[in-house]
């Protein structure tokens, strides 16, 4: 059997278990090149390493091995087709990982910025970079958990379907106009060049801020006017406050106020 490798030798070439090769054989995706009729020992040809490598690639990419069998059955040049599809899957995974890394870096930056104001009491001034939000106008009571969950889920799903990456923080936004005050539920998203009717960019600016304990029954509009006065052109962002230690029974929001803000035409 000089031209063949034993099952043990073949498995060692890719540092896998013999049982894995037996499993691939059972699935019908990698058969031994020769099986001794007397001893039932299995032998593999060196050329079969290419098939084994594709099997291991499928496992790495999360492609079900049953799909590999379909490739083998439906395509004469199945290895090329499998590699082309694998390339697209790998590129998608790389893109997702890069986006996830960016989301982590962005969230860490937000936490670091908040950390400098964690112990502030009363109203304080804070410079905040420009941000992008995806918003949904919210009608009703904030304490209505069922309504909040439904709208929040709908907005998150919409963001994902449009390719926007939602990040922390999230919360409520109030835009004060000359005739009315509009209330929105928002997710902050990664900076984007895409145009969408639900996406607004809030410019960099100096915000008047105040930290308050979360209270779903609080009338935010009345509270804002009591503590910050009234204004016809104002944006108020009530954002969940990220802290190092999470206490379920003690959650905090940071109110961020910028006067002179006018809602963009796309969100009117």
């Amino acid at each position: 059997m000089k031209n063949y490798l034993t099952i043990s030798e073949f498995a060692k070439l890719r540092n896998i278990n013999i049982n894995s090769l037996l499993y691939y054989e059972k699935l019908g995706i990698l058969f031994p090149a020769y099986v001794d009729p007397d001893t039932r020992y299995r032998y593999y040809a060196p050329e079969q390493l290419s098939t084994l490598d594709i099997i291991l690639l499928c496992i790495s990419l999360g492609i079900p091995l049953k799909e590999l069998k379909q490739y083998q059955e439906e395509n004469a040049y199945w290895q090329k087709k499998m590699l082309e599809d694998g390339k697209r899957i790998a590129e998608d995974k790389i893109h997702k990982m890069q986006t996830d890394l960016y989301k982590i870096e962005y969230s860490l930056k937000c936490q670091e910025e908040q950390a400098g104001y964690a112990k502030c009491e009363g109203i304080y001034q804070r410079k905040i970079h420009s941000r992008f939000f995806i918003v949904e106008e919210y009608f009703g009571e904030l304490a209505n958990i069922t309504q909040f969950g439904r709208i929040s889920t709908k907005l998150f799903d919409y963001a994902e379907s449009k390719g926007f990456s939602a990040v922390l923080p999230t919360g409520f936004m109030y835009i004060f106009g000359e005739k009315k005050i509009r209330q929105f539920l928002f997710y902050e998203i990664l900076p984007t060049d895409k145009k969408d009717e639900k996406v607004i960019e809030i410019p960099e600016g100096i915000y008047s801020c105040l930290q308050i304990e979360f209270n779903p029954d609080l009338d935010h509009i009345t509270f804002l006017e009591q503590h910050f006065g009234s204004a016809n052109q104002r944006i108020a962002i009530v954002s969940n406050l990220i802290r190092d230690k999470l206490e379920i029974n003690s959650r905090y929001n940071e109110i961020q106020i910028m006067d002179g803000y006018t809602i963009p035409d796309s969100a009117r």
Side-chain angles (χ1 to χ4, degrees):
M1 307 302 295
K2 294 182 179 180
N3 296 326
Y4 294 101
L5 298 164
T6 66
I7 189 172
S8 178
E9 292 171 334
F10 191 68
K12 285 181 180 178
L13 290 176
R14 291 298 180 266
N15 195 31
I16 63 173
N17 193 286
I18 291 175
N19 289 332
S20 295
L21 292 174
L22 296 175
Y23 177 64
Y24 305 151
E25 180 183 349
K26 182 179 179 180
L27 290 178
I29 56 177
L30 179 57
F31 293 100
Y34 174 77
V35 179
D36 189 299
D38 297 323
T39 64
R40 303 304 299 169
Y41 288 167
R42 289 164 168 77
Y43 297 89
Y44 292 81
E47 294 80 8
Q48 291 181 284
L49 278 174
S50 61
T51 300
L52 178 58
D53 285 339
I54 291 179
I55 290 172
L56 299 177
L57 178 62
C58 286
I59 295 172
S60 176
L61 293 175
I63 301 173
L65 294 181
K66 291 181 179 179
E67 291 187 14
L68 178 56
K69 183 173 176 61
Q70 292 179 350
Y71 277 93
Q72 293 173 328
E73 293 175 346
E74 297 173 3
N75 299 278
Y77 301 97
W78 69 269
Q79 290 188 348
K80 182 175 183 296
K81 180 68 166 58
M82 180 71 247
L83 290 172
E84 289 174 344
D85 289 350
K87 179 175 180 291
R88 284 191 289 271
I89 293 172
E91 289 172 343
D92 289 342
K93 286 181 176 287
I94 290 172
H95 176 72
K96 184 179 185 306
M97 290 181 68
Q98 289 175 333
T99 301
D100 288 344
L101 178 60
Y102 192 10
K103 289 169 70 172
I104 291 170
E105 291 173 342
Y106 188 90
S107 296
L108 284 173
K109 179 182 177 182
C110 289
Q111 287 196 29
E112 290 170 358
E113 290 176 350
Q114 286 187 353
Y117 300 90
K119 297 182 179 180
C120 287
E121 296 182 359
I123 297 175
Y124 55 93
Q125 304 297 306
R126 178 183 169 195
K127 182 177 181 180
I128 302 179
H129 58 81
S130 63
R131 293 168 290 175
F132 289 80
F133 297 90
I134 188 163
V135 301
E136 182 71 36
E137 194 153 13
Y138 191 93
F139 303 95
E141 301 295 328
L142 303 186
N144 188 333
I145 300 300
T146 301
Q147 180 186 30
F148 173 82
R150 176 175 54 81
I151 296 176
S152 177
T153 300
K154 181 181 178 182
L155 182 60
F156 183 85
D157 290 344
Y158 180 86
E160 293 293 303
S161 70
K162 296 295 184 178
F164 299 114
S165 298
V167 295
L168 291 175
T170 184
F172 285 93
M173 178 186 299
Y174 300 88
I175 297 180
F176 292 70
E178 293 183 1
K179 297 182 179 180
K180 64 178 180 179
I181 301 171
R182 299 176 67 183
Q183 175 178 269
F184 298 87
L185 171 69
F186 75 80
Y187 281 101
E188 189 168 345
I189 60 173
L190 293 180
T192 180
D193 294 328
K194 296 180 181 179
K195 301 298 181 182
D196 189 277
E197 61 182 5
K198 293 182 182 293
V199 174
I200 60 176
E201 180 182 5
I202 307 298
E204 179 180 270
I206 304 298
Y207 289 76
S208 297
C209 300
L210 177 65
Q211 296 179 25
I212 62 172
E213 192 163 2
F214 173 75
N215 179 4
D217 296 318
L218 179 67
D219 182 341
H220 282 141
I221 294 175
T222 300
F223 182 88
L224 292 171
E225 291 179 344
Q226 288 176 344
H227 289 78
F228 296 92
S230 59
N232 291 329
Q233 291 185 333
R234 164 181 289 172
I235 184 169
I237 298 170
V238 182
S239 172
N240 61 305
L241 190 62
I242 303 172
R243 295 193 168 190
D244 291 335
K245 183 178 180 181
L246 177 63
E247 297 179 4
I248 300 300
N249 296 322
S250 182
R251 293 178 289 165
Y252 284 83
N253 292 136
E254 182 181 55
I255 297 175
Q256 304 161 359
I257 298 286
M258 182 170 67
D259 287 330
Y261 177 82
T262 303
I263 189 170
D265 292 337
S266 60
R268 292 183 186 276

